[in-house]
Structure formats: C-alpha cells, structure tokens
Amino acid sequence: MTTYDIPRPTEGDVVELILDDHRLFESLLRDLRDATADREAAREALATVLIAHGEAEEAKVYAQLNRKRAITKGEAEHGEEEHAEGNEKLLALLECKGTDTQKFDDAVEELATALNHHIGEEEQTILNPAKTEVSEQVRQELGAAWATMRNQLLDEGAGSISNVRGIVAKAHREGLLPADDEGEEK
Ligand SMILES: [Fe+2]
Ligand SMILES: [Fe+2]
C-alpha cells in the first residue's frame, strides 16, 4: 500500500507552484500506467490534487490574470473548458471498478491525453504571460491565494467520486461540456 504525500506549500510564486503540480500529475499518470504500482492509491491522489488544483486556478488565478490584462477572457474560458473535459475523463476513471482491466487502462489513457494537452497549453498561454506581464509581487499574492484554496480543497477530499460528479454536472449546466453528453446525473 502506497501513501502519496501531496505537497502542501502555502506560499510562493504562483507559476512555480502550478508547474510543480503539473510535474506531480505527470508522475501520478506514470504510476497509473504501471501494473506494479498501487494504482488505487495513485488514482485517489491524482483525483484529489487535480480537482483542488483546477478549481483553485479558476477561482484564484485565471480571472485575476484577466483583470491584470495578462490573459484574455477567451483564454481563461478555454482553460475552464479544458478543466471540464479533464474532469469528465477523471470521473470515468473513478467509475472503473478494478484497476487491472482494459477499461481502466483506456480511461487512464484518455485522461492522460486531455491532461497533457491542457497542461501544455496552460503553460504556454497562461503561465508564460503570468511570468512576463505581472509583477513578482502579484505572482506571490496569487500563489498564496491559490495555495490556500487548493489546500483547503485537499482537506475537504475534493477528489471524491460524488464531488467530481457534482463538478462535471455543473460544467454541463454551464455549457462547458456538450449538453448531450453522458454522465449528466444530478
Ligand atoms: Fe494547471
Ligand atoms: Fe489548469
């Protein structure tokens, strides 16, 4: 049984903090592909940190960078759409009963594809302007606000299947995901 200790920084440059989580996502995805890893534990850790990370970005980083004119409203909205897509793939992974099935492997691959695309695009179109268009002081303020919310969501068990279901249902209602898609319970 593996216990994943998710780091909980409380302050720092928001860009560095977010990049550290992106590297953590990649390492957890690698474990999810590894038949000798504790994939149950890796799935739980990834679900929790992925939801906490993305929700805190939407509430504490995207809109703030838009207000500082570092990114456009469209870029912020596109990031939210990609979070919704990733969360939908995460929900499918959480709904897999076992971890040693083809269904599980396929769900990991689909999540990896969505997530790798998103973190690449976020680093290029959102974190780059955050590095060049806002001051170090603003990056520190955003870092503290983002980390505080992320850590609170980690404490609340943000990656539980019921919470992820609720987040995906809300994304459908808000039009971030196609309305005719599956998984629209609640
Ligand atoms: Fe991110
Ligand atoms: Fe993101």
Side-chain angles (χ1 to χ4, degrees):
M1 179 79 198
T2 312
T3 311
Y4 287 94
D5 260 334
I6 299 171
R8 289 172 186 244
T10 55
E11 57 181 11
D13 179 325
V14 69
V15 172
E16 301 303 324
L17 295 173
I18 286 175
L19 287 173
D20 284 347
D21 259 6
H22 289 180
R23 302 295 83 83
L24 177 60
F25 298 161
E26 288 166 345
S27 122
L28 288 166
L29 283 171
R30 205 165 306 123
D31 284 357
L32 285 167
R33 294 187 197 104
D34 178 354
T36 67
D38 185 343
R39 294 192 281 185
E40 195 72 59
R43 173 169 67 174
E44 194 185 321
L46 180 58
T48 309
V49 69
L50 184 58
I51 293 292
H53 176 103
E55 294 285 294
E57 281 178 345
E58 291 182 17
K60 303 294 180 187
V61 182
Y62 285 3
Q64 290 70 12
L65 288 175
N66 173 236
R67 230 171 285 140
K68 302 270 179 201
R69 298 179 189 277
I71 62 171
T72 65
K73 202 161 191 280
E75 283 165 339
E77 281 168 1
H78 185 67
E80 293 184 9
E81 281 169 12
E82 291 192 348
H83 285 172
E85 284 164 26
N87 292 342
E88 195 176 42
K89 305 295 184 196
L90 173 66
L91 180 58
L93 179 67
L94 291 172
E95 281 171 341
C96 292
K97 293 265 183 286
T99 59
D100 54 355
T101 61
Q102 187 63 46
K103 189 180 171 199
F104 183 88
D105 284 347
D106 291 346
V108 168
E109 192 47 39
E110 286 215 14
L111 173 60
T113 301
L115 192 50
N116 286 327
H117 169 82
H118 173 64
I119 65 182
E121 193 163 312
E122 185 170 86
E123 289 174 16
Q124 288 177 327
T125 66
I126 295 180
L127 299 187
N128 273 336
K131 287 183 195 174
T132 55
E133 307 299 316
V134 303
S135 68
E136 164 75 21
Q137 193 199 329
V138 168
R139 283 198 302 278
Q140 291 286 338
E141 287 166 9
L142 295 183
W146 174 84
T148 300
M149 180 169 173
R150 170 187 176 278
N151 293 342
Q152 190 184 332
L153 290 170
L154 292 178
D155 288 337
E156 292 170 1
S160 73
I161 193 161
S162 59
N163 193 48
V164 178
R165 236 176 233 142
I167 287 171
V168 170
K170 183 163 172 272
H172 277 287
R173 284 197 303 274
E174 291 176 349
L176 291 168
L177 288 167
D180 58 347
D181 222 310
E182 294 175 0
E184 230 193 332
E185 52 264 296
K186 280 202 176 172

